[in-house]
Amino acid sequence: RRLLVVEDEALFAESLSLVLRRLGYEVAAIVDNGEDAVKMTFALIPDLVLMDIGLRGPMDGAEAARQIRLTTGRPVIFLSGHSDPLTLKKARECEPYGFILKPFGERELFVQIDLALHRHKVETERSLARRELDIAHGNLRNLRGLLPVCAGCKKIQEADGRWQGLEDFFK
C-alpha cells in the first residue's frame, strides 16, 4: 500500500517513513505543507494519507484533509501531539479515518492504518454496489413502462398477447 506522509517536522517525517517501510508500506512522498499535500494526493493517488493536523503555513492539516476528501476521496489519518477540544473539533469536521496521538508505537500505527484501509475498501465497494443497484432500479422502472409485466406471476406479455416467463423472455 502506498502512503503519503504530510509532516512539517523533517526529523519526525523521516523517522515515520522508516517505520512505515519496516511495516511493509511504500511511502509515495513526504510533504511538509497543506497545499503540497492536496496536490500530491491528487497526482499520486495514494491509498492513504498520514497528516499532521497542526501544519504550519496558510493551510493546516484539517483544511488539507477536507480538500483531499472532497477532491480525491482518499482516506486520511491525523497525527497530532494535541488532543485539546479545538483540535478534536477540527479533526471531527474533516471526517478522518483515524486520529493518532503523538508519540505512538509501531503497533498502534499499523492497526490504525490497517483499519482505515479496510474501512475505505468496504465503503468504496458499498458505494459502487449502491450505484449499480440504482442503475438497475432505473432500468427496471424503464422496462415497466415499456413491457406489460405481471409481477405476481413473473411473466411478460408478448406482442401477440401471450404471456411468457421472465427467464424465457430474457434468454
PDB file of all heavy atoms in Angstrom, residues 45-78:
ATOM      1  N   ILE A  45      -2.387   9.744  -6.031  1.00  0.00           N
ATOM      2  CA  ILE A  45      -3.499   8.901  -5.575  1.00  0.00           C
ATOM      3  C   ILE A  45      -2.995   7.801  -4.619  1.00  0.00           C
ATOM      4  O   ILE A  45      -3.100   6.610  -4.904  1.00  0.00           O
ATOM      5  CB  ILE A  45      -4.299   8.290  -6.753  1.00  0.00           C
ATOM      6  CG1 ILE A  45      -4.654   9.350  -7.769  1.00  0.00           C
ATOM      7  CG2 ILE A  45      -5.559   7.586  -6.237  1.00  0.00           C
ATOM      8  CD1 ILE A  45      -5.620  10.411  -7.297  1.00  0.00           C
ATOM      9  N   PRO A  46      -2.453   8.200  -3.468  1.00  0.00           N
ATOM     10  CA  PRO A  46      -2.001   7.188  -2.512  1.00  0.00           C
ATOM     11  C   PRO A  46      -3.201   6.446  -1.917  1.00  0.00           C
ATOM     12  O   PRO A  46      -4.336   6.935  -1.974  1.00  0.00           O
ATOM     13  CB  PRO A  46      -1.287   8.025  -1.441  1.00  0.00           C
ATOM     14  CG  PRO A  46      -1.975   9.347  -1.499  1.00  0.00           C
ATOM     15  CD  PRO A  46      -2.313   9.555  -2.950  1.00  0.00           C
ATOM     16  N   ASP A  47      -2.948   5.291  -1.340  1.00  0.00           N
ATOM     17  CA  ASP A  47      -4.021   4.533  -0.700  1.00  0.00           C
ATOM     18  C   ASP A  47      -4.490   5.209   0.583  1.00  0.00           C
ATOM     19  O   ASP A  47      -5.642   5.040   0.983  1.00  0.00           O
ATOM     20  CB  ASP A  47      -3.545   3.110  -0.394  1.00  0.00           C
ATOM     21  CG  ASP A  47      -3.252   2.344  -1.671  1.00  0.00           C
ATOM     22  OD1 ASP A  47      -4.149   2.234  -2.516  1.00  0.00           O
ATOM     23  OD2 ASP A  47      -2.110   1.875  -1.827  1.00  0.00           O
ATOM     24  N   LEU A  48      -3.590   5.970   1.210  1.00  0.00           N
ATOM     25  CA  LEU A  48      -3.925   6.614   2.476  1.00  0.00           C
ATOM     26  C   LEU A  48      -2.975   7.783   2.707  1.00  0.00           C
ATOM     27  O   LEU A  48      -1.826   7.746   2.248  1.00  0.00           O
ATOM     28  CB  LEU A  48      -3.780   5.603   3.620  1.00  0.00           C
ATOM     29  CG  LEU A  48      -4.156   6.094   5.010  1.00  0.00           C
ATOM     30  CD1 LEU A  48      -5.147   5.130   5.642  1.00  0.00           C
ATOM     31  CD2 LEU A  48      -2.930   6.196   5.889  1.00  0.00           C
ATOM     32  N   VAL A  49      -3.454   8.801   3.416  1.00  0.00           N
ATOM     33  CA  VAL A  49      -2.632   9.962   3.762  1.00  0.00           C
ATOM     34  C   VAL A  49      -2.504  10.024   5.279  1.00  0.00           C
ATOM     35  O   VAL A  49      -3.502   9.998   5.998  1.00  0.00           O
ATOM     36  CB  VAL A  49      -3.268  11.271   3.238  1.00  0.00           C
ATOM     37  CG1 VAL A  49      -2.421  12.474   3.632  1.00  0.00           C
ATOM     38  CG2 VAL A  49      -3.461  11.214   1.722  1.00  0.00           C
ATOM     39  N   LEU A  50      -1.265  10.083   5.763  1.00  0.00           N
ATOM     40  CA  LEU A  50      -0.995  10.330   7.183  1.00  0.00           C
ATOM     41  C   LEU A  50      -0.695  11.811   7.306  1.00  0.00           C
ATOM     42  O   LEU A  50       0.275  12.304   6.717  1.00  0.00           O
ATOM     43  CB  LEU A  50       0.196   9.504   7.666  1.00  0.00           C
ATOM     44  CG  LEU A  50      -0.041   8.018   7.799  1.00  0.00           C
ATOM     45  CD1 LEU A  50       1.267   7.287   8.074  1.00  0.00           C
ATOM     46  CD2 LEU A  50      -1.048   7.727   8.899  1.00  0.00           C
ATOM     47  N   MET A  51      -1.527  12.549   8.043  1.00  0.00           N
ATOM     48  CA  MET A  51      -1.489  14.011   8.032  1.00  0.00           C
ATOM     49  C   MET A  51      -1.315  14.587   9.434  1.00  0.00           C
ATOM     50  O   MET A  51      -2.122  14.308  10.322  1.00  0.00           O
ATOM     51  CB  MET A  51      -2.815  14.511   7.445  1.00  0.00           C
ATOM     52  CG  MET A  51      -3.022  16.000   7.469  1.00  0.00           C
ATOM     53  SD  MET A  51      -2.420  16.822   5.999  1.00  0.00           S
ATOM     54  CE  MET A  51      -3.485  16.116   4.759  1.00  0.00           C
ATOM     55  N   ASP A  52      -0.272  15.392   9.603  1.00  0.00           N
ATOM     56  CA  ASP A  52      -0.143  16.176  10.831  1.00  0.00           C
ATOM     57  C   ASP A  52      -1.247  17.229  10.784  1.00  0.00           C
ATOM     58  O   ASP A  52      -1.346  17.987   9.817  1.00  0.00           O
ATOM     59  CB  ASP A  52       1.239  16.832  10.877  1.00  0.00           C
ATOM     60  CG  ASP A  52       1.470  17.650  12.135  1.00  0.00           C
ATOM     61  OD1 ASP A  52       0.591  17.688  13.014  1.00  0.00           O
ATOM     62  OD2 ASP A  52       2.544  18.263  12.227  1.00  0.00           O
ATOM     63  N   ILE A  53      -2.090  17.268  11.796  1.00  0.00           N
ATOM     64  CA  ILE A  53      -3.213  18.210  11.769  1.00  0.00           C
ATOM     65  C   ILE A  53      -2.743  19.648  11.994  1.00  0.00           C
ATOM     66  O   ILE A  53      -3.347  20.588  11.506  1.00  0.00           O
ATOM     67  CB  ILE A  53      -4.312  17.807  12.785  1.00  0.00           C
ATOM     68  CG1 ILE A  53      -5.618  18.537  12.463  1.00  0.00           C
ATOM     69  CG2 ILE A  53      -3.870  18.048  14.204  1.00  0.00           C
ATOM     70  CD1 ILE A  53      -6.813  17.988  13.215  1.00  0.00           C
ATOM     71  N   GLY A  54      -1.629  19.817  12.712  1.00  0.00           N
ATOM     72  CA  GLY A  54      -1.161  21.154  13.042  1.00  0.00           C
ATOM     73  C   GLY A  54      -0.054  21.653  12.138  1.00  0.00           C
ATOM     74  O   GLY A  54       0.972  22.108  12.634  1.00  0.00           O
ATOM     75  N   LEU A  55      -0.240  21.579  10.834  1.00  0.00           N
ATOM     76  CA  LEU A  55       0.785  22.049   9.903  1.00  0.00           C
ATOM     77  C   LEU A  55       0.916  23.565   9.970  1.00  0.00           C
ATOM     78  O   LEU A  55      -0.080  24.284  10.125  1.00  0.00           O
ATOM     79  CB  LEU A  55       0.418  21.655   8.466  1.00  0.00           C
ATOM     80  CG  LEU A  55       0.392  20.171   8.144  1.00  0.00           C
ATOM     81  CD1 LEU A  55      -0.163  19.957   6.743  1.00  0.00           C
ATOM     82  CD2 LEU A  55       1.782  19.578   8.265  1.00  0.00           C
ATOM     83  N   ARG A  56       2.144  24.035   9.809  1.00  0.00           N
ATOM     84  CA  ARG A  56       2.365  25.471   9.725  1.00  0.00           C
ATOM     85  C   ARG A  56       2.066  25.923   8.299  1.00  0.00           C
ATOM     86  O   ARG A  56       2.089  25.135   7.369  1.00  0.00           O
ATOM     87  CB  ARG A  56       3.812  25.797  10.079  1.00  0.00           C
ATOM     88  CG  ARG A  56       4.143  25.532  11.544  1.00  0.00           C
ATOM     89  CD  ARG A  56       5.567  25.938  11.872  1.00  0.00           C
ATOM     90  NE  ARG A  56       6.549  24.998  11.334  1.00  0.00           N
ATOM     91  CZ  ARG A  56       7.003  23.929  11.977  1.00  0.00           C
ATOM     92  NH1 ARG A  56       6.566  23.669  13.178  1.00  0.00           N
ATOM     93  NH2 ARG A  56       7.890  23.144  11.430  1.00  0.00           N
ATOM     94  N   GLY A  57       1.774  27.192   8.162  1.00  0.00           N
ATOM     95  CA  GLY A  57       1.519  27.739   6.833  1.00  0.00           C
ATOM     96  C   GLY A  57       0.061  28.131   6.661  1.00  0.00           C
ATOM     97  O   GLY A  57      -0.746  28.009   7.590  1.00  0.00           O
ATOM     98  N   PRO A  58      -0.283  28.592   5.474  1.00  0.00           N
ATOM     99  CA  PRO A  58      -1.636  29.102   5.245  1.00  0.00           C
ATOM    100  C   PRO A  58      -2.728  28.020   5.288  1.00  0.00           C
ATOM    101  O   PRO A  58      -3.871  28.321   5.564  1.00  0.00           O
ATOM    102  CB  PRO A  58      -1.568  29.745   3.862  1.00  0.00           C
ATOM    103  CG  PRO A  58      -0.333  29.218   3.225  1.00  0.00           C
ATOM    104  CD  PRO A  58       0.584  28.779   4.316  1.00  0.00           C
ATOM    105  N   MET A  59      -2.370  26.759   5.027  1.00  0.00           N
ATOM    106  CA  MET A  59      -3.364  25.687   5.049  1.00  0.00           C
ATOM    107  C   MET A  59      -2.936  24.630   6.067  1.00  0.00           C
ATOM    108  O   MET A  59      -1.928  23.961   5.884  1.00  0.00           O
ATOM    109  CB  MET A  59      -3.501  25.034   3.663  1.00  0.00           C
ATOM    110  CG  MET A  59      -4.563  23.948   3.624  1.00  0.00           C
ATOM    111  SD  MET A  59      -4.632  23.036   2.061  1.00  0.00           S
ATOM    112  CE  MET A  59      -5.078  24.302   0.920  1.00  0.00           C
ATOM    113  N   ASP A  60      -3.715  24.506   7.141  1.00  0.00           N
ATOM    114  CA  ASP A  60      -3.369  23.492   8.141  1.00  0.00           C
ATOM    115  C   ASP A  60      -3.809  22.114   7.664  1.00  0.00           C
ATOM    116  O   ASP A  60      -4.418  21.957   6.604  1.00  0.00           O
ATOM    117  CB  ASP A  60      -3.955  23.844   9.511  1.00  0.00           C
ATOM    118  CG  ASP A  60      -5.475  23.776   9.564  1.00  0.00           C
ATOM    119  OD1 ASP A  60      -6.111  23.393   8.562  1.00  0.00           O
ATOM    120  OD2 ASP A  60      -6.034  24.099  10.612  1.00  0.00           O
ATOM    121  N   GLY A  61      -3.492  21.109   8.457  1.00  0.00           N
ATOM    122  CA  GLY A  61      -3.808  19.737   8.079  1.00  0.00           C
ATOM    123  C   GLY A  61      -5.292  19.467   7.968  1.00  0.00           C
ATOM    124  O   GLY A  61      -5.730  18.674   7.140  1.00  0.00           O
ATOM    125  N   ALA A  62      -6.089  20.139   8.801  1.00  0.00           N
ATOM    126  CA  ALA A  62      -7.540  19.938   8.753  1.00  0.00           C
ATOM    127  C   ALA A  62      -8.106  20.413   7.412  1.00  0.00           C
ATOM    128  O   ALA A  62      -8.899  19.705   6.786  1.00  0.00           O
ATOM    129  CB  ALA A  62      -8.213  20.659   9.909  1.00  0.00           C
ATOM    130  N   GLU A  63      -7.697  21.579   6.977  1.00  0.00           N
ATOM    131  CA  GLU A  63      -8.188  22.095   5.695  1.00  0.00           C
ATOM    132  C   GLU A  63      -7.677  21.249   4.533  1.00  0.00           C
ATOM    133  O   GLU A  63      -8.407  20.966   3.582  1.00  0.00           O
ATOM    134  CB  GLU A  63      -7.782  23.556   5.505  1.00  0.00           C
ATOM    135  CG  GLU A  63      -8.242  24.154   4.180  1.00  0.00           C
ATOM    136  CD  GLU A  63      -9.746  24.095   3.964  1.00  0.00           C
ATOM    137  OE1 GLU A  63     -10.519  24.126   4.935  1.00  0.00           O
ATOM    138  OE2 GLU A  63     -10.165  24.017   2.786  1.00  0.00           O
ATOM    139  N   ALA A  64      -6.431  20.821   4.602  1.00  0.00           N
ATOM    140  CA  ALA A  64      -5.881  19.956   3.550  1.00  0.00           C
ATOM    141  C   ALA A  64      -6.667  18.645   3.491  1.00  0.00           C
ATOM    142  O   ALA A  64      -7.020  18.167   2.404  1.00  0.00           O
ATOM    143  CB  ALA A  64      -4.398  19.684   3.809  1.00  0.00           C
ATOM    144  N   ALA A  65      -6.975  18.061   4.649  1.00  0.00           N
ATOM    145  CA  ALA A  65      -7.743  16.809   4.693  1.00  0.00           C
ATOM    146  C   ALA A  65      -9.130  17.000   4.103  1.00  0.00           C
ATOM    147  O   ALA A  65      -9.640  16.142   3.384  1.00  0.00           O
ATOM    148  CB  ALA A  65      -7.840  16.302   6.128  1.00  0.00           C
ATOM    149  N   ARG A  66      -9.755  18.128   4.404  1.00  0.00           N
ATOM    150  CA  ARG A  66     -11.082  18.424   3.867  1.00  0.00           C
ATOM    151  C   ARG A  66     -11.035  18.485   2.334  1.00  0.00           C
ATOM    152  O   ARG A  66     -11.856  17.888   1.650  1.00  0.00           O
ATOM    153  CB  ARG A  66     -11.599  19.741   4.447  1.00  0.00           C
ATOM    154  CG  ARG A  66     -13.015  20.074   4.064  1.00  0.00           C
ATOM    155  CD  ARG A  66     -13.595  21.338   4.676  1.00  0.00           C
ATOM    156  NE  ARG A  66     -12.877  22.135   5.642  1.00  0.00           N
ATOM    157  CZ  ARG A  66     -12.691  21.891   6.951  1.00  0.00           C
ATOM    158  NH1 ARG A  66     -13.131  20.830   7.474  1.00  0.00           N
ATOM    159  NH2 ARG A  66     -12.037  22.689   7.740  1.00  0.00           N
ATOM    160  N   GLN A  67     -10.034  19.163   1.804  1.00  0.00           N
ATOM    161  CA  GLN A  67      -9.905  19.268   0.350  1.00  0.00           C
ATOM    162  C   GLN A  67      -9.579  17.916  -0.280  1.00  0.00           C
ATOM    163  O   GLN A  67     -10.086  17.591  -1.352  1.00  0.00           O
ATOM    164  CB  GLN A  67      -8.859  20.311  -0.011  1.00  0.00           C
ATOM    165  CG  GLN A  67      -9.334  21.722   0.269  1.00  0.00           C
ATOM    166  CD  GLN A  67      -8.403  22.775  -0.279  1.00  0.00           C
ATOM    167  OE1 GLN A  67      -7.656  22.542  -1.224  1.00  0.00           O
ATOM    168  NE2 GLN A  67      -8.426  23.950   0.325  1.00  0.00           N
ATOM    169  N   ILE A  68      -8.750  17.131   0.383  1.00  0.00           N
ATOM    170  CA  ILE A  68      -8.412  15.791  -0.123  1.00  0.00           C
ATOM    171  C   ILE A  68      -9.657  14.923  -0.182  1.00  0.00           C
ATOM    172  O   ILE A  68      -9.908  14.221  -1.163  1.00  0.00           O
ATOM    173  CB  ILE A  68      -7.297  15.152   0.744  1.00  0.00           C
ATOM    174  CG1 ILE A  68      -5.967  15.840   0.456  1.00  0.00           C
ATOM    175  CG2 ILE A  68      -7.216  13.647   0.525  1.00  0.00           C
ATOM    176  CD1 ILE A  68      -4.865  15.510   1.435  1.00  0.00           C
ATOM    177  N   ARG A  69     -10.464  14.973   0.872  1.00  0.00           N
ATOM    178  CA  ARG A  69     -11.693  14.169   0.899  1.00  0.00           C
ATOM    179  C   ARG A  69     -12.633  14.589  -0.229  1.00  0.00           C
ATOM    180  O   ARG A  69     -13.208  13.746  -0.921  1.00  0.00           O
ATOM    181  CB  ARG A  69     -12.393  14.318   2.252  1.00  0.00           C
ATOM    182  CG  ARG A  69     -13.655  13.474   2.368  1.00  0.00           C
ATOM    183  CD  ARG A  69     -14.275  13.518   3.746  1.00  0.00           C
ATOM    184  NE  ARG A  69     -14.398  14.823   4.340  1.00  0.00           N
ATOM    185  CZ  ARG A  69     -15.415  15.659   4.100  1.00  0.00           C
ATOM    186  NH1 ARG A  69     -16.380  15.324   3.292  1.00  0.00           N
ATOM    187  NH2 ARG A  69     -15.458  16.835   4.686  1.00  0.00           N
ATOM    188  N   LEU A  70     -12.771  15.894  -0.441  1.00  0.00           N
ATOM    189  CA  LEU A  70     -13.689  16.382  -1.470  1.00  0.00           C
ATOM    190  C   LEU A  70     -13.194  16.134  -2.895  1.00  0.00           C
ATOM    191  O   LEU A  70     -13.996  15.892  -3.790  1.00  0.00           O
ATOM    192  CB  LEU A  70     -13.957  17.880  -1.267  1.00  0.00           C
ATOM    193  CG  LEU A  70     -14.730  18.252  -0.004  1.00  0.00           C
ATOM    194  CD1 LEU A  70     -14.786  19.761   0.173  1.00  0.00           C
ATOM    195  CD2 LEU A  70     -16.122  17.652  -0.029  1.00  0.00           C
ATOM    196  N   THR A  71     -11.890  16.186  -3.114  1.00  0.00           N
ATOM    197  CA  THR A  71     -11.374  16.055  -4.483  1.00  0.00           C
ATOM    198  C   THR A  71     -10.972  14.641  -4.866  1.00  0.00           C
ATOM    199  O   THR A  71     -11.111  14.256  -6.022  1.00  0.00           O
ATOM    200  CB  THR A  71     -10.159  16.984  -4.712  1.00  0.00           C
ATOM    201  OG1 THR A  71      -9.126  16.653  -3.788  1.00  0.00           O
ATOM    202  CG2 THR A  71     -10.551  18.446  -4.582  1.00  0.00           C
ATOM    203  N   THR A  72     -10.470  13.865  -3.913  1.00  0.00           N
ATOM    204  CA  THR A  72      -9.979  12.526  -4.268  1.00  0.00           C
ATOM    205  C   THR A  72     -10.648  11.395  -3.492  1.00  0.00           C
ATOM    206  O   THR A  72     -10.553  10.246  -3.906  1.00  0.00           O
ATOM    207  CB  THR A  72      -8.450  12.407  -4.024  1.00  0.00           C
ATOM    208  OG1 THR A  72      -8.209  12.453  -2.615  1.00  0.00           O
ATOM    209  CG2 THR A  72      -7.682  13.499  -4.743  1.00  0.00           C
ATOM    210  N   GLY A  73     -11.250  11.705  -2.362  1.00  0.00           N
ATOM    211  CA  GLY A  73     -11.866  10.668  -1.548  1.00  0.00           C
ATOM    212  C   GLY A  73     -10.877   9.772  -0.831  1.00  0.00           C
ATOM    213  O   GLY A  73     -11.248   8.765  -0.248  1.00  0.00           O
ATOM    214  N   ARG A  74      -9.594  10.113  -0.868  1.00  0.00           N
ATOM    215  CA  ARG A  74      -8.582   9.291  -0.193  1.00  0.00           C
ATOM    216  C   ARG A  74      -8.750   9.392   1.315  1.00  0.00           C
ATOM    217  O   ARG A  74      -9.027  10.461   1.845  1.00  0.00           O
ATOM    218  CB  ARG A  74      -7.164   9.765  -0.555  1.00  0.00           C
ATOM    219  CG  ARG A  74      -6.805   9.667  -2.025  1.00  0.00           C
ATOM    220  CD  ARG A  74      -6.580   8.261  -2.492  1.00  0.00           C
ATOM    221  NE  ARG A  74      -7.821   7.643  -2.905  1.00  0.00           N
ATOM    222  CZ  ARG A  74      -7.970   6.357  -3.175  1.00  0.00           C
ATOM    223  NH1 ARG A  74      -6.976   5.524  -3.058  1.00  0.00           N
ATOM    224  NH2 ARG A  74      -9.122   5.877  -3.560  1.00  0.00           N
ATOM    225  N   PRO A  75      -8.551   8.287   2.028  1.00  0.00           N
ATOM    226  CA  PRO A  75      -8.668   8.323   3.484  1.00  0.00           C
ATOM    227  C   PRO A  75      -7.481   9.034   4.130  1.00  0.00           C
ATOM    228  O   PRO A  75      -6.355   8.943   3.649  1.00  0.00           O
ATOM    229  CB  PRO A  75      -8.690   6.846   3.868  1.00  0.00           C
ATOM    230  CG  PRO A  75      -8.006   6.133   2.749  1.00  0.00           C
ATOM    231  CD  PRO A  75      -8.271   6.937   1.513  1.00  0.00           C
ATOM    232  N   VAL A  76      -7.779   9.750   5.210  1.00  0.00           N
ATOM    233  CA  VAL A  76      -6.759  10.490   5.948  1.00  0.00           C
ATOM    234  C   VAL A  76      -6.787  10.051   7.402  1.00  0.00           C
ATOM    235  O   VAL A  76      -7.846   9.922   8.002  1.00  0.00           O
ATOM    236  CB  VAL A  76      -7.010  12.014   5.873  1.00  0.00           C
ATOM    237  CG1 VAL A  76      -6.041  12.777   6.773  1.00  0.00           C
ATOM    238  CG2 VAL A  76      -6.913  12.508   4.436  1.00  0.00           C
ATOM    239  N   ILE A  77      -5.601   9.807   7.947  1.00  0.00           N
ATOM    240  CA  ILE A  77      -5.435   9.592   9.382  1.00  0.00           C
ATOM    241  C   ILE A  77      -4.632  10.773   9.902  1.00  0.00           C
ATOM    242  O   ILE A  77      -3.563  11.093   9.370  1.00  0.00           O
ATOM    243  CB  ILE A  77      -4.679   8.283   9.694  1.00  0.00           C
ATOM    244  CG1 ILE A  77      -5.502   7.065   9.286  1.00  0.00           C
ATOM    245  CG2 ILE A  77      -4.340   8.212  11.185  1.00  0.00           C
ATOM    246  CD1 ILE A  77      -4.786   5.739   9.491  1.00  0.00           C
ATOM    247  N   PHE A  78      -5.162  11.425  10.934  1.00  0.00           N
ATOM    248  CA  PHE A  78      -4.448  12.547  11.524  1.00  0.00           C
ATOM    249  C   PHE A  78      -3.416  12.064  12.524  1.00  0.00           C
ATOM    250  O   PHE A  78      -3.630  11.087  13.246  1.00  0.00           O
ATOM    251  CB  PHE A  78      -5.411  13.490  12.246  1.00  0.00           C
ATOM    252  CG  PHE A  78      -6.192  14.367  11.331  1.00  0.00           C
ATOM    253  CD1 PHE A  78      -7.570  14.378  11.378  1.00  0.00           C
ATOM    254  CD2 PHE A  78      -5.556  15.203  10.421  1.00  0.00           C
ATOM    255  CE1 PHE A  78      -8.301  15.190  10.542  1.00  0.00           C
ATOM    256  CE2 PHE A  78      -6.273  16.023   9.564  1.00  0.00           C
ATOM    257  CZ  PHE A  78      -7.652  16.015   9.635  1.00  0.00           C
TER     258      PHE A  78
END
